[in-house]
Amino acid sequence: MTRIPTTTAPYAATGVSALVRLAVLCVGPDGDVSYWNRGAEELFGHRWEGVFGRPAAGLLPHTAGRRPGERDALEVLAGLTRSAWAGALPTADRDGGLKDVLWWAYRITEPAGPSLLVIAADARPLRDNGPRLALGDRLLPYSADGTTARGAVSVAPRLAPAADPAHAGHLGARLGSVLPRVSPGRLDRIVRQIVSLGYPAVEIDGSLLLPVLPEEYGTTVGPPPARPAAGRSARAGRPPRTAPHPELLPGPRADTTAPEPAPAAASGPSLAPGNLLDEQLALLRETGAKVGTTLDLGATARELCAVTVPRFADFAAVLVVDQLFSDAEPPKEDLYGDTVVARRVAVAHTDTTPGPWAAALPEGELIPLPADSTPRLGEPLLVPVIDAALAHDVALDLGVPGLGPLLPERSLIVVPLTARGTVLGRMCFLRHPGRRPFDAKDAATAAEVAARGAVHLDNARLHRLESRAAATLQRSMMPTSPPRIPGVRIAHHYMPGDRQAQVGGDWFDAIQLPGGRVALIVGDVMGHGLLSAAVMGQFRTSVITMAALDLPPAQLLRHLDNLAHRLGAEHLATCVYAVYDPIHRTLTLANAGHIPPVLARHDGRSELLQIPEGAPIGVGGVPFETVEVPVPDGSWLVLCTDGLVEVRGQGIDAGLAALCSNVIEPQQTPEDVCEQILNRVHSDDRRDDVALLVANFQGIPPEDVVEWRLAMDGSEVRRARALTREQLALWGLQALSDLAELLVSELVTNALRVASHEVSLRLMRVGKLLVEVSDDDHNLPQLRRADADDEKGRGLALVSNLSRRWGTSRKAVGKVVWFELPLPV
């Protein structure tokens, strides 16, 4: 990640701007995505209907393979942006491809609270080809040369002040076209905040500073396209659709109008007619050999373009129906209705100056294709030579108005990409004027190439659907991010051994228990794939349920073993269950045939914990034993599955030794330790699942915890209120006294009513006020509705409505009822 500070340098020249394709998104005060424009769809791949109103966290991974608990790009931006921030940050798109993205982020003040407004751009085309430039109010376009003496252009995002108020208004008005569609007054306030915090700008090669304008203005700049002579149709001289122009007839019939072949130029091979058939057959053989080497959509589309350029055409592009390849559910209505949205996923051409092609046909662009366009999706098109007067209309029908100036005198073929009865998209080919125009035989060859390529594209689509389903299943059964629990910091990571299915039977968990304690679990179901994942889901759910009963570790494993026998003989797993008490600084563990945990002391020494190994869950007949270990503050616990430490040809001992030799520095975060262990111990040639959980024990200071035992007497309710008031005064939390006393009074009253021998009250100051009331009755209280004249049933209702969070949990003997109150700011 590269942070780019705000610059105070002046612009190169007022009126000169960089035209950039901008992605704009907004994260509301609640953390949900409230705006997602077309540019964001193109850059990141996610369609707006799949992200709008959903949490932004986890949407854009900071790396190609995001690890659970790792912050994503939007979370990083939110942390960096106090008022405004600009910088470069790599981000993975919908398909997992890593992109170098330029960011401009603003903290915008809104009536509902502060929102995060983010503007982003793909850095690759800017650095490869240089930005397109515009000059003056007319925004006349210029193409910047993408090559320098050192290679690619250096493009860095900046936040820069406007030259003067008029300049600020000029820039703000144009930027407003891609900002959220809100009322004019609200939009004006947003624009003024952006301009005051620093307008988005790019610095070219460290010297030239240019404000950024949406590239949409580049599609309307320059002189209008040439119009045909009078007497022709209103749409660029095209005759009515009832009598289509012969050069626009779909299918092979269009070759009847083809001119005589022109002499071949240097842009493509020159072939005698007798060699055409051999060349076409060779092209089809090469397509079969070189296309479909992976199950990645982008790679397959690029292979399909590469095999045809320059051998068959001077330009090739692959467009797919975006809905078929998106994360969103396919619509129930007709997918090919009034307008189909296609995405250009690959482009190849022979031009040595890619600027015009890259500007008019960027990869990733979304293209709406109206139902009445020619050709319709699924229909072929052959235009032997594109007349200059018709070039603009052909570009409009292809959904790319900016392509018009590049089409005159070129030859065009459009063929559908159809596989297994589904139209996946289309493929376009162009030949330059100096080369033999396409004819009917070329159209047939293009159709065959597209048909073979479409099968591989559909394979990639189906693989994507299966992988997404498997990943969704895995994510639904695994914790997404570590819980924030007082006295312990946690990080975890999961890596499936089956890279195709992306699922496995390893799991981990961190569960908060009464008394500030936390249960740490790592398990490994024997086997791989979907069956192991399904069994894992049953075991994990069972452990979470039994952990809520606050059972001792050995007793919990015994219940889990009994459950495995009832579920089936194939339900075998190893597991470690540990409970950390941050008040008493102890770790209580039991093992069911799992590899032993590693405890790293605060002085840097690491050791394998010597605990009875037990037998795997599902074997039966072997006892489980609980062991208690003291853990001073600063200690680290590393729990993992055998996939991390198994070394081919060396057994598991070598991996465990490497794990123990890993030195953990006190200043490291759990995320750092996770990454360090994976880099030093794990290797990519291993095929087993990996689950890794790292916990740093910090404890809760004794002065932040206080507990009292209450006598079985109704007068103890008054004493409980007084003790609460006095302790909150000692902590400087008098602002919470009235509310805390009220809720404590209700819970103690309920506990004294049902308890037999014991009631206790505990207060903890752990970044919040945590209050627990325990008794020896095992029946959990129920929240119920109280009528206006009821004298009972209001206590839990008060706790539920007045506390931030509350809950109940069973203990080994009895139960605990707790609530949380936020500390005053």
Side-chain angles (χ1 to χ4, degrees):
M1 180 180 66
T2 305
R3 186 189 183 280
I4 308 297
T6 303
T7 181
T8 57
Y11 291 116
T14 302
V16 179
S17 307
L19 294 176
V20 179
R21 205 167 194 87
L22 295 180
V24 182
L25 58 105
C26 188
V27 181
D30 56 359
D32 293 344
V33 176
S34 58
Y35 183 70
W36 189 270
N37 78 335
R38 174 63 63 84
E41 291 182 335
E42 295 177 353
L43 180 57
F44 303 119
H46 300 281
R47 297 294 299 277
W48 73 269
E49 60 267 27
V51 299
F52 182 75
R54 298 188 179 182
L59 182 62
L60 300 177
H62 183 21
T63 56
R66 188 188 184 218
R67 296 168 180 169
E70 183 181 23
R71 294 196 304 168
D72 72 349
L74 292 179
E75 292 174 305
V76 171
L77 289 174
L80 292 172
T81 308
R82 294 186 177 180
S83 56
W85 184 88
L89 185 68
T91 304
D93 61 14
R94 178 188 67 187
D95 299 321
L98 198 61
K99 292 189 173 182
D100 191 5
V101 181
L102 308 181
W103 302 88
W104 298 268
Y106 300 87
R107 189 69 66 178
I108 301 297
T109 302
E110 294 273 60
S115 299
L116 183 68
L117 179 69
V118 178
I119 301 172
D122 191 352
R124 191 190 67 169
L126 297 177
R127 289 171 178 162
D128 290 350
N129 308 315
R132 299 176 64 197
L133 304 181
L135 175 63
D137 290 335
R138 293 185 63 196
L139 298 177
L140 300 176
Y142 293 84
S143 294
D145 187 359
T147 58
T148 67
R150 303 182 308 277
V153 172
S154 171
V155 180
R158 295 280 190 259
L159 297 173
D164 52 57
H167 189 217
H170 177 85
L171 297 176
R174 283 154 175 76
L175 183 63
S177 66
V178 293
L179 294 182
R181 297 180 178 90
V182 294
S183 64
R186 185 178 172 191
L187 180 60
D188 180 64
R189 289 194 300 271
I190 293 175
V191 169
R192 282 192 279 109
Q193 290 184 66
I194 291 176
V195 173
S196 65
L197 293 171
Y199 191 85
V202 289
E203 188 174 273
I204 310 299
D205 285 337
S207 59
L208 180 65
L209 186 65
L210 298 172
V212 168
L213 291 181
E215 193 182 61
E216 284 79 354
Y217 284 98
T219 63
T220 60
V221 299
R227 307 308 299 171
R232 306 187 82 172
S233 172
R235 280 200 64 187
R238 183 188 307 163
R241 290 195 182 273
T242 54
H245 192 286
E247 287 187 356
L248 294 178
L249 283 172
R253 289 177 297 170
D255 75 307
T256 58
T257 65
E260 291 297 321
S267 59
S270 177
L271 298 172
N275 295 331
L276 286 177
L277 180 59
D278 291 340
E279 177 63 22
Q280 290 167 347
L281 293 175
L283 174 62
L284 296 178
R285 284 195 299 270
E286 188 172 351
T287 301
K290 294 186 176 181
V291 178
T293 60
T294 74
L295 288 172
D296 178 78
L297 171 65
T300 302
R302 287 188 288 273
E303 290 170 349
L304 191 54
C305 288
V307 81
T308 57
V309 175
R311 185 171 194 163
F312 177 72
D314 298 302
F315 170 88
V318 172
L319 293 85
V320 298
V321 178
D322 191 62
Q323 191 72 33
L324 292 174
F325 294 85
S326 68
D327 295 332
E329 290 289 333
K332 295 181 180 179
E333 63 273 10
D334 183 12
L335 180 63
Y336 311 100
D338 294 338
T339 299
V340 177
V341 178
R343 182 184 295 272
R344 187 182 301 108
V345 292
V347 173
H349 52 80
T350 59
D351 281 28
T352 57
T353 56
W357 294 100
L361 300 162
E363 287 187 6
E365 181 183 17
L366 292 175
I367 306 163
L369 301 175
D372 62 347
S373 63
T374 302
R376 292 180 175 87
L377 192 68
E379 294 181 347
L381 173 69
L382 168 64
V383 185
V385 177
I386 301 174
D387 186 85
L390 296 175
H392 183 66
D393 261 11
V394 173
L396 287 176
D397 278 333
L398 294 177
V400 192
L403 187 61
L406 301 175
L407 289 180
E409 306 307 319
R410 285 180 166 84
S411 187
L412 169 69
I413 288 178
V414 178
V415 288
L417 293 166
T418 303
R420 301 179 178 99
T422 300
V423 180
L424 305 177
R426 62 169 51 157
M427 192 168 185
C428 304
F429 301 98
L430 285 171
R431 278 182 180 171
H432 291 333
R435 192 171 176 180
R436 179 181 64 82
F438 288 125
D439 57 20
K441 294 179 181 178
D442 294 318
T445 301
E448 183 63 25
V449 169
R452 298 187 181 195
V455 173
H456 296 295
L457 292 172
D458 198 46
N459 290 341
R461 179 180 72 91
L462 296 176
H463 171 71
R464 175 187 172 80
L465 291 175
E466 293 175 359
S467 297
R468 292 277 174 184
T472 300
L473 172 65
Q474 189 76 42
R475 285 195 301 268
S476 69
M477 295 189 294
M478 299 285 276
T480 55
S481 58
R484 295 183 178 180
I485 299 175
V488 59
R489 297 185 300 162
I490 301 170
H492 47 57
H493 175 76
Y494 172 77
M495 184 183 301
D498 187 343
R499 301 301 172 86
Q500 297 295 323
Q502 290 292 304
V503 295
D506 292 13
W507 89 93
F508 50 80
D509 246 318
I511 306 169
Q512 188 164 5
L513 302 176
R517 295 169 302 141
V518 57
L520 304 171
I521 308 103
V522 165
D524 182 0
V525 174
M526 296 184 182
H528 305 283
L530 286 173
L531 178 59
S532 295
V535 175
M536 176 270 288
Q538 293 176 305
F539 279 154
R540 178 174 179 251
T541 302
S542 301
V543 171
I544 293 174
T545 302
M546 288 187 284
L549 301 177
D550 201 14
L551 300 175
Q555 188 176 345
L556 184 144
L557 293 181
R558 169 55 55 207
H559 284 298
L560 191 62
D561 184 67
N562 294 336
L563 175 67
H565 283 283
R566 292 196 296 271
L567 291 175
E570 73 280 3
H571 288 60
L572 296 174
T574 62
C575 180
V576 170
Y577 185 88
V579 176
Y580 171 63
D581 189 331
I583 298 175
H584 298 98
R585 274 78 174 171
T586 59
L587 184 67
T588 308
L589 311 93
N591 190 2
H594 202 78
I595 61 175
V598 172
L599 182 67
R601 306 287 181 177
H602 62 285
D603 57 4
R605 294 180 297 109
S606 297
E607 60 176 321
L608 286 175
L609 289 179
Q610 301 301 316
I611 56 177
E613 184 174 341
I617 298 296
V619 172
V622 179
F624 302 106
E625 299 182 40
T626 296
V627 175
E628 184 173 289
V629 179
V631 283
D633 292 350
S635 301
W636 294 79
L637 181 70
V638 179
L639 297 170
C640 67
T641 54
D642 54 7
L644 177 67
V645 294
E646 278 184 331
V647 181
R648 184 176 300 173
Q650 301 182 40
I652 203 170
D653 293 337
L656 289 174
L659 186 61
C660 286
S661 66
N662 189 73
V663 178
I664 301 176
E665 301 295 337
Q667 70 274 12
Q668 287 183 290
T669 66
E671 291 78 11
D672 294 337
V673 174
C674 255
E675 185 172 356
Q676 175 179 297
I677 291 174
L678 290 170
N679 291 337
R680 294 183 180 179
V681 180
H682 187 259
S683 59
D684 292 336
D685 61 344
R686 301 179 190 177
R687 292 294 177 263
D688 199 3
D689 303 340
V690 172
L692 173 65
L693 187 149
V694 173
N696 177 220
F697 301 137
Q698 299 175 316
I700 298 176
E703 62 270 17
D704 287 336
V705 182
V706 61
E707 184 173 5
W708 303 278
R709 296 190 179 277
L710 304 178
M712 300 301 298
D713 190 310
S715 62
E716 290 289 84
V717 176
R718 184 185 309 109
R719 176 170 172 254
R721 288 198 300 264
L723 291 171
T724 300
R725 181 171 59 254
E726 293 170 4
Q727 187 61 45
L728 293 182
L730 289 175
W731 283 341
L733 301 178
Q734 294 90 335
L736 297 179
S737 289
D738 291 341
L739 179 56
E741 286 181 55
L742 172 64
L743 302 186
V744 165
S745 174
E746 297 293 338
L747 294 187
V748 171
T749 299
N750 290 345
L752 290 172
R753 184 178 294 119
V754 300
S756 300
H757 303 94
E758 180 181 329
V759 174
S760 63
L761 170 64
R762 174 184 283 173
L763 273 61
M764 288 185 284
R765 181 181 59 177
V766 285
K768 58 193 173 188
L769 178 63
L770 176 60
V771 179
E772 296 181 348
V773 176
S774 303
D775 62 67
D776 55 8
D777 180 72
H778 71 280
N779 293 312
L780 299 180
Q782 299 293 320
L783 183 65
R784 62 183 183 180
R785 182 178 62 86
D787 293 330
D789 56 350
D790 286 349
E791 296 182 2
K792 298 180 180 180
R794 302 183 185 277
L796 284 183
L798 286 173
V799 174
S800 176
N801 287 299
L802 297 179
S803 65
R804 182 169 66 180
R805 292 177 62 233
W806 78 283
T808 62
S809 178
R810 285 193 172 91
K811 299 168 54 178
V813 177
K815 66 176 179 294
V816 59
V817 184
W818 56 270
F819 67 85
E820 294 178 2
L821 294 177
L823 299 183
V825 180

